[in-house]
Amino acid sequence: MLLKWDYDLFEMINGLAVDHTTINVWMRFFAEYAEYFFYLGIFVYWFTRKQENRRMVAKALCSAALAMGIGSLIGMLFYRNRPFVSHEVHQLIEHAANASFPSSHAIGAFVIATSIWLYRRKDGYVWLALAVLIALSRIWTGVHYPIDVTVGALLGIGSAVAVNKLFTQWALARRGLAAGLSFFEKIERKLGYKS
């Protein structure tokens, strides 16, 4: 029942690639390249050298490591073929015929977007909107099912919230984070990058 619903929804969204061809160029862009905005965002937030931004980035990277690790484990335990392996689809981007579930693009986008949202609400809403577009585009272009991106999104959001809570409520984690940031800043000062 759930898999039938999943495939029906996939067919509907993927079918839009035929009905709305003018949007395909954007969906290809979001599916293949929009994730680089997240890398750039993390880089920019870190190098603004504000203490709050650096805490946010450090937590985001910890959250991403946790979410990707869990996602890899789930992918090994519950292997699922990509839609284009099992069905005839409108495939708009090249992709290896590897595990489809859960979507690592959705995990990565939502874990970073949520981590930013927890610190900077206005920025976070923009990043979350971009994450939604990435998730949608992975279905539109024929490389993921809706359940793949939904579970990936939930895993990313859950990991970001859990890691943030860990650093907020566990004193040892807070001290470790503060010590790590302080150590990095000492190195920066020695290299002349920070006064």
Side-chain angles (χ1 to χ4, degrees):
M1 178 74 174
L2 180 62
L3 291 181
K4 184 185 183 316
W5 168 85
D6 188 38
Y7 179 64
D8 289 346
L9 185 57
F10 167 80
E11 261 194 321
M12 185 189 81
I13 295 170
N14 183 239
L16 296 172
V18 175
D19 299 333
H20 303 282
T21 55
T22 54
I23 302 174
N24 287 346
V25 66
W26 288 105
M27 288 300 167
R28 283 190 195 100
F29 172 78
F30 286 121
E32 291 190 288
Y33 303 111
E35 68 178 318
Y36 294 106
F37 286 115
F38 286 91
Y39 305 145
L40 180 61
I42 287 295
F43 183 83
V44 169
Y45 283 124
W46 181 264
F47 284 102
T48 57
R49 298 185 177 144
K50 289 182 181 172
Q51 196 61 234
E52 185 181 9
N53 283 352
R54 288 196 164 175
R55 276 195 301 274
M56 176 184 74
V57 169
K59 288 180 185 180
L61 295 177
C62 290
S63 302
L66 174 65
M68 288 297 186
I70 295 171
S72 295
L73 184 60
I74 291 171
M76 286 188 285
L77 294 173
F78 303 100
Y79 187 89
R80 186 185 199 192
N81 282 324
R82 299 254 171 200
F84 58 81
V85 173
S86 304
H87 306 282
E88 191 168 321
V89 306
H90 308 292
Q91 188 180 349
L92 303 182
I93 61 172
E94 291 295 318
H95 203 289
N98 54 7
S100 182
F101 178 81
S103 165
S104 59
H105 276 74
I107 292 171
F110 277 93
V111 76
I112 300 298
T114 305
S115 296
I116 294 170
W117 182 83
L118 289 167
Y119 266 80
R120 308 169 65 89
R121 289 290 199 262
K122 285 184 183 176
D123 291 8
Y125 286 119
V126 174
W127 290 108
L128 284 167
L130 181 58
V132 168
L133 286 170
I134 288 173
L136 175 64
S137 72
R138 303 294 288 178
I139 305 166
W140 185 293
T141 56
V143 295
H144 276 296
Y145 294 102
I147 286 178
D148 301 341
V149 299
T150 302
V151 171
L154 292 174
L155 185 51
I157 292 166
S159 296
V161 170
V163 167
N164 187 62
K165 195 166 201 157
L166 172 76
F167 280 107
T168 302
Q169 295 184 351
W170 192 28
L172 183 60
R174 278 197 313 274
R175 286 197 296 270
L177 178 61
L181 292 174
S182 177
F183 177 73
F184 187 86
E185 287 171 359
K186 281 178 187 172
I187 293 173
E188 276 188 325
R189 282 192 290 272
K190 283 185 180 177
L191 294 172
Y193 291 132
K194 190 165 182 171
S195 55

